[in-house]
């Protein structure tokens, strides 16, 4: 299922940059089970693994369910009294009109199976998509936790404003992930994801994997779960290192700069 996850992408091979200390970060950033870092990294790599589900729509839906579970856990950790559905743009993307959604759905019916076939045949594209997914979820989880830690998205914030701010947060993260600023994080993801490589034949992933993150995780074989845990532990260790704190602070600053413009 994961054979070939280690790739060399010269466009994203820059060294981690930045030398500022991270700010507005939840003090609980350790890698023990249940910590913010542990939750974020685990969900990021699980969302990446979902990209290898060889069924159109199922890969995206399963990945979105994983991110939704991460959002729920971060809201709970920061004492919010509402669930992820109140800030759905964080995992569903920006709100669109009914006509826009209908058009996107019809287009998706035509294009997604084609893209899935291409990604299956050209495995490098699937690998790159998985790596980008993992990097985006790491940055998204970190950004959500920082925003919640400094009091944003409070319980008494009107529902419309919650969704608007959630849309802005998702857009800021997406914008940074489309810029060269992503290179340091993507490099770490690539190095850690090499531990997901396997020569085993891809398993038959059940349709139930798209129902929720628990079902997606339950579909992993014991060997796949061990590999996921090893890769997550390696990535956690790298992200905690003194060497990478400047890179993370630079990414935080890049996201915040975009959020300040949107506010």
């Amino acid at each position: 299922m994961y054979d070939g996850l280690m790739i060399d992408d010269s466009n994203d091979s820059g060294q981690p940059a930045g030398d500022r200390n991270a700010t507005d970060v939840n003090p609980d950033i350790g890698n023990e089970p249940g910590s913010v870092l542990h939750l974020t990294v685990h969900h990021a790599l699980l969302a990446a693994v979902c990209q290898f589900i060889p069924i159109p729509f199922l890969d995206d839906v399963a990945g979105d369910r994983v991110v939704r579970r991460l959002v729920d856990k971060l809201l709970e950790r920061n004492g919010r009294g509402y669930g992820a559905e109140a800030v759905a743009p964080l995992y569903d993307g920006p709100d669109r009109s009914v006509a826009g959604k209908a058009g996107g759905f019809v287009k998706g019916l035509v294009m997604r199976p084609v893209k899935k076939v291409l990604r299956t045949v050209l495995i490098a594209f699937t690998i790159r998509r998985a790596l980008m997914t993992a990097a985006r979820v790491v940055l998204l989880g970190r950004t959500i936790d920082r925003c919640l830690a400094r009091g944003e998205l409070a319980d008494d914030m009107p529902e419309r404003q919650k969704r608007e701010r959630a849309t802005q947060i998702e857009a800021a993260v997406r914008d940074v992930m489309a810029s060269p600023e992503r290179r340091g994080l993507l490099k770490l993801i690539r190095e850690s994801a090499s531990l997901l490589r396997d020569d085993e034949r891809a398993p038959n992933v059940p349709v139930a994997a798209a129902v929720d993150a628990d079902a997606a995780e339950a579909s992993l074989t014991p060997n796949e779960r061990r590999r996921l845990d090893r890769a997550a532990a390696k990535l956690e260790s790298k992200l905690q290192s003194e060497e990478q704190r400047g890179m993370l602070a630079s990414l935080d600053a890049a996201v915040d700069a975009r959020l300040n413009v949107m506010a």
Side-chain angles (χ1 to χ4, degrees):
M1 183 174 182
Y2 315 120
D3 187 28
L5 268 180
M6 184 67 169
I7 62 173
D8 179 20
D9 185 347
S10 59
N11 291 327
D12 291 299
S13 61
Q15 294 298 319
D19 57 3
R20 293 182 296 273
N21 289 327
T23 58
D24 297 319
V25 180
N26 191 315
D28 180 16
I29 60 171
N31 63 351
E32 66 276 6
S35 72
V36 172
L37 180 61
H38 181 85
L39 289 172
T40 301
V41 168
H42 178 81
H43 284 77
L45 292 180
L46 181 58
V49 167
C50 288
Q51 303 308 310
F52 290 86
I53 297 175
I55 304 173
F57 294 102
L58 183 56
D59 53 348
D60 290 328
V61 173
D64 289 346
R65 293 297 184 270
V66 170
V67 180
R68 174 174 178 157
R69 184 174 70 175
L70 174 61
V71 172
D72 262 328
K73 289 181 178 294
L74 292 174
L75 289 170
E76 182 181 358
R77 289 186 59 83
N78 284 274
R80 299 302 189 268
Y82 57 88
E85 65 279 358
V87 287
L90 290 174
Y91 56 88
D92 267 347
D95 290 329
R96 290 182 294 173
S97 65
V98 174
K101 291 180 179 179
F105 179 73
V106 172
K107 182 179 179 181
L109 285 176
V110 176
M111 294 303 299
R112 286 191 183 183
V114 174
K115 290 179 179 178
K116 174 58 68 174
V117 170
L118 289 175
R119 292 208 308 268
T120 300
V121 174
L122 304 174
I123 188 64
F125 288 100
T126 303
I127 293 168
R128 178 172 174 76
R129 188 168 188 259
L131 295 176
M132 288 292 291
T133 294
R136 180 183 63 83
V137 176
V138 167
L139 184 57
L140 180 64
R142 181 178 177 84
T143 301
I144 293 171
D145 189 65
R146 290 191 307 109
C147 289
L148 293 173
R150 63 194 181 205
E152 294 197 46
L153 299 171
D155 283 351
D156 58 357
M157 190 178 195
E159 182 177 345
R160 180 180 61 82
Q161 293 182 19
K162 280 193 183 81
R163 293 186 68 87
E164 288 177 352
R165 190 55 172 170
T167 298
Q168 292 173 350
I169 292 171
E170 191 276 336
V173 170
R174 180 161 29 88
D175 193 45
V176 171
M177 286 304 303
S179 75
E181 294 161 302
R182 72 190 181 195
R183 289 177 176 173
L185 179 58
L186 195 59
K187 180 176 183 290
L188 294 184
I189 298 290
R190 184 185 299 108
E191 291 171 352
S192 302
S194 66
L195 294 178
L196 294 173
R197 295 175 63 184
D198 198 352
D199 294 328
E200 292 182 356
R201 184 176 179 178
N204 293 319
V205 182
V207 175
V211 175
D212 56 38
D214 292 335
E217 192 159 5
S219 71
L220 299 177
T221 67
N223 184 48
E224 290 166 350
R225 186 180 298 275
R226 284 193 297 271
R227 290 177 179 275
L228 177 64
D229 290 342
R230 287 173 54 203
K234 180 177 180 180
L235 182 55
E236 289 171 22
S237 177
K238 287 178 175 291
L239 291 173
Q240 281 188 303
S241 70
E242 189 72 32
E243 179 184 0
Q244 303 305 334
R245 290 180 184 177
M247 180 271 291
L248 291 174
S250 293
L251 286 174
D252 292 343
V255 172
D256 286 346
R258 288 162 173 80
L259 287 175
N260 289 336
V261 172
M262 297 174 186

